């Protein structure tokens, strides 16, 4: 009996392909939606030193800054306080200075801010209702306040060598001034005002050390780590004693530079002796909502996450806001919906950015974005540099007013993120600049819901 071939029905492979694909982003829950923030990285590693400018009275005038001139500056290193009654700044800040204000205006007198008293005021206006006088004093103290951070001198020298810049005494002095420059010191009221820039004294040390190092050594010699250390020892003998030179522990020799912070907070701790000490750090996450008072949403005053509202933690420049309720930064509101062809949701995000989520049919998505412009990788995100110049997008003002272009910077590069791909497409992205039109749209959507 001859062999027979089995007969099989043809297989329809179309049924094996999925109709849609949900994209699950492996991201943590939004910080503003968390009640327990124990697993959230709140603080960054860098610790800053907090400082205040002095108030100087001399020869019938009053200044802020430093009593002596800088070696590489011809003009005095201070800013004049002007206005109708410049000396009244002393009475406003009297409770926070190291000495009682004096009527003597000719003799050189230096008033210094008592840090702990200033920090207590900052904590008061941030955590509870405050008076107009307290708010005024806090604003002046904030104008006098600045932070520094220690910077590795050896690393700075190495960076200068790598930059291959021509180093002269003038160029090194300019670099030193940049490291110690307070670019904007400003306050204004009816009674007094001041505005200008200053160079902190640490800039002098930067100039001395860097010049002494490069004056006695070539850039090629300083590429060797041991040669660089010896050069620093010679240029900076006050920081190197015999005990330091023979110490087994590696020491990093540093000098302070003026710094800027992101999401800065002041942390209060108590020592074993019952005294308070303060520590300044940046934060990764801090705010969670915006306040609503008498039905009006206040976009300018974000509220610190409830788990971080504590007298031992004060955000820089923060003021207590009396409010009826608050709205989470991650709360999405529907702002556009037309026959299910396109649905747009908006979340208020932060003070400087908004979050948008868009849902539309897959065919409409491809017609709008163009098949060739989409190149999906494993992350399911792509650059939209060409998408938002698309003719279809620009000609549909009815819905595109709800869809400003994504923010573009070194980190995000104008990307959008997919949540669903198939017959319907859902994606989201971040809008920078906090466009005023989106604020109005979000508020109007809230009215419709209430």
């Amino acid at each position: 009996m001859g062999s027979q071939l089995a007969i099989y029905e043809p297989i329809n492979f179309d049924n094996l392909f999925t109709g849609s694909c949900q994209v699950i982003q492996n991201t943590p829950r939004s910080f503003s939606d968390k009640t327990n923030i124990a697993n959230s990285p709140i603080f960054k590693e860098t610790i800053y030193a907090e400082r205040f400018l002095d108030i100087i009275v001399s020869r019938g005038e009053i200044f802020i800054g430093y009593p002596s001139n800088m070696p590489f500056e011809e003009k005095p290193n201070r800013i004049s306080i002007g206005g109708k009654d410049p000396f009244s700044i002393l009475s406003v800040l009297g409770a926070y200075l190291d000495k009682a204000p004096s009527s003597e205006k000719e003799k050189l007198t230096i008033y210094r801010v008592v840090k702990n008293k200033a920090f207590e005021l900052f904590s008061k206006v941030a955590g509870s209702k405050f008076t107009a006088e307290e708010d005024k004093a806090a604003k002046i103290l904030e104008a006098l306040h600045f932070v520094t951070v220690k910077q590795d001198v050896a690393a700075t020298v190495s960076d200068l060598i790598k930059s291959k810049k021509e180093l002269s005494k003038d160029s090194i002095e300019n670099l030193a001034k940049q490291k110690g420059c307070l670019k904007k010191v400003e306050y204004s009221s009816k009674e007094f005002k001041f505005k200008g820039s200053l160079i902190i004294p640490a800039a002098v040390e930067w100039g001395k050390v860097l010049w002494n190092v490069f004056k006695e050594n070539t850039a090629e010699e300083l590429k060797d780590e041991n040669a660089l250390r010896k050069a620093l020892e010679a240029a900076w003998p006050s920081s190197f004693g015999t005990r330091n030179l023979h110490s087994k522990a590696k020491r990093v020799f540093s000098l302070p530079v003026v710094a800027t912070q992101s999401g800065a907070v002041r942390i209060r701790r108590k020592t074993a002796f019952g005294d308070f000490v303060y520590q300044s750090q940046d934060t990764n996450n801090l705010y969670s909502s915006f306040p609503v008072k008498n039905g009006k949403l206040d976009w300018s005053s974000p509220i610190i996450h409830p788990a971080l509202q504590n007298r031992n933690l004060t955000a820089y420049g923060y003021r207590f806001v009396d409010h009826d309720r608050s709205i989470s930064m991650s709360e999405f509101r529907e702002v556009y919906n037309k026959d299910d062809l396109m649905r747009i949701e908006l979340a208020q995000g932060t003070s400087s950015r908004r979050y948008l989520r868009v849902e539309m049919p897959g065919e409409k998505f491809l017609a709008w974005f163009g098949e060739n412009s989409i190149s999906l990788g494993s992350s399911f995100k792509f650059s939209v540099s060409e998408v938002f110049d698309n003719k279809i997008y620009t000609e549909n003002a009815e819905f595109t007013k709800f869809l400003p272009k994504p923010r573009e910077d070194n980190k995000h590069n104008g990307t959008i993120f997919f949540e669903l791909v198939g017959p319907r497409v859902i994606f989201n992205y971040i809008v920078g600049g906090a466009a005023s039109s989106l604020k109005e749209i979000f508020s109007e959507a809230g009215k419709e819901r209430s």
Side-chain angles (χ1 to χ4, degrees):
M1 186 176 180
S3 62
Q4 293 183 342
L5 293 174
I7 299 175
Y8 297 97
E9 293 292 329
I11 299 174
N12 184 0
F13 285 98
D14 290 342
N15 296 328
L16 300 180
F17 290 95
T18 180
S20 63
C21 173
Q22 182 179 5
V23 182
I24 300 176
Q25 296 285 347
N26 187 22
T27 55
R29 187 181 181 186
S30 170
F31 178 74
S32 57
D33 288 337
K34 292 182 178 180
T35 53
N36 183 353
I37 61 172
N39 64 340
S40 298
I42 304 298
F43 304 108
K44 297 181 181 179
E45 292 183 0
T46 305
I47 297 177
Y48 299 82
E50 297 190 80
R51 306 176 189 276
F52 290 90
L53 295 170
D54 296 336
I55 300 175
I56 304 164
V57 174
S58 178
R59 298 178 181 179
E61 295 184 277
I62 186 166
F63 311 87
I64 60 169
Y66 302 98
S68 59
N69 297 351
M70 302 297 288
F72 38 65
E73 290 284 325
E74 295 181 359
K75 62 182 181 180
N77 194 29
R78 49 185 178 264
I79 301 170
S80 177
I81 302 177
K84 294 180 179 179
D85 187 10
F87 283 88
S88 64
I89 190 175
L90 296 174
S91 58
V92 176
L93 296 182
Y96 312 101
L97 301 177
D98 64 342
K99 56 175 67 71
S102 170
S103 58
E104 172 61 56
K105 298 181 181 179
E106 295 298 323
K107 181 182 177 183
L108 175 63
T109 308
I110 301 174
Y111 296 90
R112 294 185 170 86
V113 174
V114 180
K115 287 185 180 181
N116 282 19
K117 290 183 179 180
F119 295 161
E120 288 171 7
L121 174 64
F122 292 154
S123 178
K124 166 73 188 305
V125 298
S128 60
K129 293 183 179 180
F130 50 86
T131 66
E133 291 76 14
E134 289 172 327
D135 184 44
K136 183 175 183 179
K139 287 179 179 177
I140 299 169
L141 290 170
E142 286 166 351
L144 300 178
H145 174 271
F146 67 98
V147 296
T148 61
V149 65
K150 290 292 187 71
Q151 193 171 90
D152 186 350
V153 177
T156 300
V157 172
S158 296
D159 290 341
L160 284 172
I161 295 170
K162 292 175 184 177
S163 69
K164 296 182 180 180
K165 294 180 180 178
E166 184 177 347
L167 297 171
S168 64
K169 191 168 185 180
D170 287 341
S171 65
I172 287 176
E173 284 183 355
N174 287 332
L175 174 65
K177 286 190 283 187
Q178 290 172 17
K179 289 183 176 295
C181 182
L182 293 171
K183 294 182 179 179
K184 188 176 181 181
V185 183
E186 183 177 5
Y187 176 81
S188 180
S189 69
K190 293 180 179 179
E191 298 80 20
F192 52 85
K193 59 185 177 180
F194 52 83
K195 182 178 181 180
S197 60
L198 291 166
I199 306 295
I200 67 171
V204 178
E205 294 302 314
W206 273 106
K208 287 180 180 177
V209 172
L210 292 178
W211 174 240
N212 287 337
V213 167
F214 284 104
K215 181 178 64 174
E216 302 295 336
N217 304 272
T218 67
E220 190 64 32
E221 290 171 340
L222 294 172
K223 289 180 180 180
D224 180 80
E225 186 176 340
N226 291 328
L228 174 55
R229 179 177 176 82
K230 288 180 180 179
L232 284 173
E233 291 172 7
W236 202 1
S238 61
S239 294
F240 293 82
T242 54
R243 294 177 60 188
N244 292 338
L245 292 175
H246 299 287
S247 173
K248 292 182 180 180
K250 182 180 179 181
R251 293 197 62 188
V252 175
F253 295 93
S254 57
L255 282 170
V257 298
V258 173
T260 57
Q261 292 180 267
S262 173
V265 296
R266 181 178 303 105
I267 304 168
R268 185 180 71 170
R269 293 188 173 91
K270 185 176 286 189
T271 68
F273 302 100
D275 300 319
F276 286 120
V277 293
Y278 296 85
Q279 181 175 304
S280 175
Q281 288 184 250
D282 291 334
T283 58
N284 293 298
N285 297 291
L286 187 59
Y287 302 103
S288 64
S289 60
F290 287 99
V292 178
K293 180 71 173 180
N294 298 326
K296 186 177 180 180
L297 177 61
D298 184 358
W299 296 87
S300 63
S301 304
I303 299 175
I304 292 176
H305 194 289
L308 295 174
Q309 293 180 18
N310 190 299
R311 280 190 60 83
N312 292 325
L313 186 146
T314 305
Y316 280 22
Y318 191 75
R319 294 295 186 272
F320 173 81
V321 180
D322 187 21
H323 57 282
D324 302 323
R325 62 188 180 89
S326 63
I327 299 176
S328 170
M329 289 180 169
S330 59
E331 176 186 311
F332 277 92
R333 290 179 176 178
E334 184 180 281
V335 296
Y336 182 87
N337 192 338
K338 184 174 182 181
D339 303 327
D340 281 336
L341 293 177
M342 178 173 288
R343 182 169 178 265
I344 303 173
E345 293 181 319
L346 171 66
Q348 54 189 338
T350 68
S351 297
S352 60
R353 67 192 65 163
R354 306 285 168 255
Y355 303 143
L356 281 165
R357 179 184 289 137
V358 185
E359 180 180 354
M360 64 173 71
E363 292 182 359
K364 190 175 185 69
F365 176 87
L366 291 175
W368 177 17
F369 284 77
E371 293 185 44
N372 295 330
S373 68
I374 302 176
S375 178
L376 291 177
S378 59
S379 59
F380 281 87
K381 64 180 182 180
F382 64 92
S383 175
V384 293
S385 56
E386 298 178 7
V387 171
F388 283 82
D389 292 325
N390 186 296
K391 185 178 180 181
I392 297 176
Y393 171 81
T394 56
E395 290 180 353
N396 283 271
E398 178 186 352
F399 65 81
T400 54
K401 71 177 182 179
F402 299 102
L403 295 175
K405 294 182 180 181
R407 68 171 181 153
E408 294 192 58
D409 54 33
N410 293 333
K411 183 177 180 181
H412 296 86
N413 193 29
T415 51
I416 69 175
F417 302 85
F418 288 92
E419 298 179 19
L420 182 69
V421 177
R424 294 193 71 79
V425 174
I426 301 176
F427 62 90
N428 66 76
Y429 64 90
I430 300 172
V431 179
S436 58
S437 60
L438 291 184
K439 292 181 181 180
E440 296 171 4
I441 290 170
F442 186 87
S443 297
E444 288 299 316
K447 292 178 183 178
E448 294 176 3
R449 290 172 49 178
S450 58

